[in-house]
Amino acid sequence: MSLAIDAAKGRPRSAPSPARGDAVFRGLTLGAAIIVLAVLAGVFVSLVVGAWPALQTFGLDFFVTRSWNPVTEKFGALAPLYGTLVSSVIAMIIAVPVGLGIAIFLTETCPRPLRRPVGIAIELLAGIPSIIYGIWGLFVFAPFMQSVVQPALIGSLGEVPLIGPLFAGPPYGIGLLTAGLILAMMILPFIASIAREVFLTVPDMLREAAYGMGMTRWEVNRSIVIPHVRSALVGGTMLALGRALGETMAVTFVIGNAHRIPGSILQPGTTISAAIANEFTEATTGIYTASLVALGLVLFVITFLVLAGAQLMLGRMRRRAGE
């Protein structure tokens, strides 16, 4: 055992063994993991306790009822749930391909002097507060949607079979589509930054070998780069989806906050987070408050299922890669 000199007393003392340090480190990391699990369980239990009066009163009908009437105390989560899922899907449909395109541009085709400024500009978008997105969306983007984008969509797609009803109705400016576009702008920096970082981890040897075989730049990215980092891309995309599902202030400004299930994505709707933010201070009865907490429980479960599904997907992809 190694010895050290105690400066104060002038006699040798035993230095801590590496095994003891490993044990302390293992205990600290285990404690941190247990704290995270305890906080997660505590949040879930508190939501269940707060939502129990509503769940006991309405039962499973709470999840399939679209009515939300504080006067008659009839509450259902279907309309906010629908708005949350639809706006998030719209955001992912737009943000994922655009984010991947930005990442490929920065890693493959962007001139070197521009890579760092463009990358920093994209990352700065992630630091803008959500309320700024909401204010800009309400006073700038929504009028643009009302005067330019939505009339064009109604005129060109409103009469198309099957998809026509999704673009029907008057151009309000605000609505599910506007909320989805704002969400896409908010999660785009996350997807682009994560994709760029994982693309940079692809060995140059793989790219050079592919180019040496005569592959085009598109073929290299489609067949070599993206499959090599597929699991990381899926994980980053799921994190962005979790952000979109729980976004509150920006969506509240531009979605219209109407407790109904619109047939058109151009019409106003609501989301779970927007409903809670708008009405929690107005909840004067116990069943009203419990219903809002139940909405929070629904959002918690949805986010948990999304992240758990992402982990299962990643595990399956890793097993396939190992085989």
Side-chain angles (χ1 to χ4, degrees):
M1 181 178 295
S2 61
L3 299 178
I5 302 301
D6 192 332
K9 299 182 179 180
R11 61 174 183 268
R13 58 181 176 83
S14 299
S17 63
R20 185 183 304 173
D22 289 343
V24 173
F25 179 74
R26 188 181 303 110
L28 291 175
T29 54
L30 177 62
I34 292 175
I35 289 175
V36 172
L37 293 177
V39 170
L40 186 65
V43 171
F44 178 74
V45 171
S46 63
L47 288 174
V48 171
V49 172
W52 185 250
L55 299 178
Q56 191 175 26
T57 301
F58 304 113
L60 295 178
D61 291 340
F62 178 79
F63 304 101
V64 296
T65 302
R66 67 175 66 186
S67 174
W68 187 273
N69 194 333
V71 178
T72 60
E73 293 190 341
K74 299 294 183 182
F75 301 101
L78 187 59
L81 178 59
Y82 174 83
T84 300
L85 296 178
V86 171
S87 60
S88 299
V89 168
I90 294 174
M92 296 301 293
I93 291 174
I94 297 172
V96 170
V98 175
L100 293 181
I102 292 174
I104 293 174
F105 170 74
L106 290 176
T107 56
E108 298 291 335
T109 63
C110 182
R112 287 190 176 273
L114 294 179
R115 287 184 181 180
R116 185 173 180 82
V118 175
I120 293 175
I122 293 173
E123 292 176 355
L124 286 177
L125 292 176
I128 299 177
S130 61
I131 193 170
I132 302 301
Y133 278 104
I135 294 175
W136 174 81
L138 180 62
F139 292 105
V140 178
F141 191 63
F144 174 75
M145 291 288 292
Q146 184 181 24
S147 60
V148 178
V149 178
Q150 291 186 356
L153 292 175
I154 295 171
S156 59
L157 300 178
E159 302 298 329
V160 177
L162 298 180
I163 66 171
L166 294 177
F167 302 95
Y172 292 105
I174 57 176
L176 293 175
L177 179 60
T178 305
L181 292 173
I182 293 293
L183 284 177
M185 297 177 193
M186 297 182 67
I187 65 176
L188 179 63
F190 294 94
I191 298 175
S193 297
I194 293 174
R196 185 189 64 172
E197 294 299 327
V198 298
F199 285 164
L200 292 175
T201 63
V202 178
D204 292 335
M205 182 175 58
L206 293 179
R207 291 189 175 94
E208 293 170 359
Y211 287 128
M213 294 176 62
M215 285 187 174
T216 63
R217 197 182 298 273
W218 161 250
E219 291 172 336
V220 169
N221 284 280
R222 184 191 63 182
S223 304
I224 304 297
V225 176
I226 293 178
H228 187 78
V229 296
R230 181 171 51 189
S231 59
L233 289 179
V234 171
T237 301
M238 290 300 113
L239 289 176
L241 177 58
R243 168 75 189 273
L245 288 170
E247 181 54 46
T248 303
M249 294 309 300
V251 175
T252 303
F253 275 89
V254 299
I255 198 170
N257 303 305
H259 277 278
R260 59 192 181 92
I261 300 179
S264 170
I265 61 175
L266 306 183
Q267 297 177 4
T270 190
T271 63
I272 293 175
S273 55
I276 295 173
N278 279 322
E279 303 183 30
F280 204 84
T281 56
E282 301 176 1
T284 57
T285 62
I287 193 66
Y288 195 178
T289 303
S291 298
L292 292 173
V293 177
L295 288 180
L297 177 62
V298 172
L299 182 59
F300 180 90
V301 172
I302 292 174
T303 306
F304 178 81
L305 291 177
V306 168
L307 297 180
Q311 291 298 321
L312 292 176
M313 186 185 304
L314 291 175
R316 183 175 302 177
M317 293 168 63
R318 293 190 185 100
R319 287 193 297 270
R320 289 180 179 176
E323 293 173 358

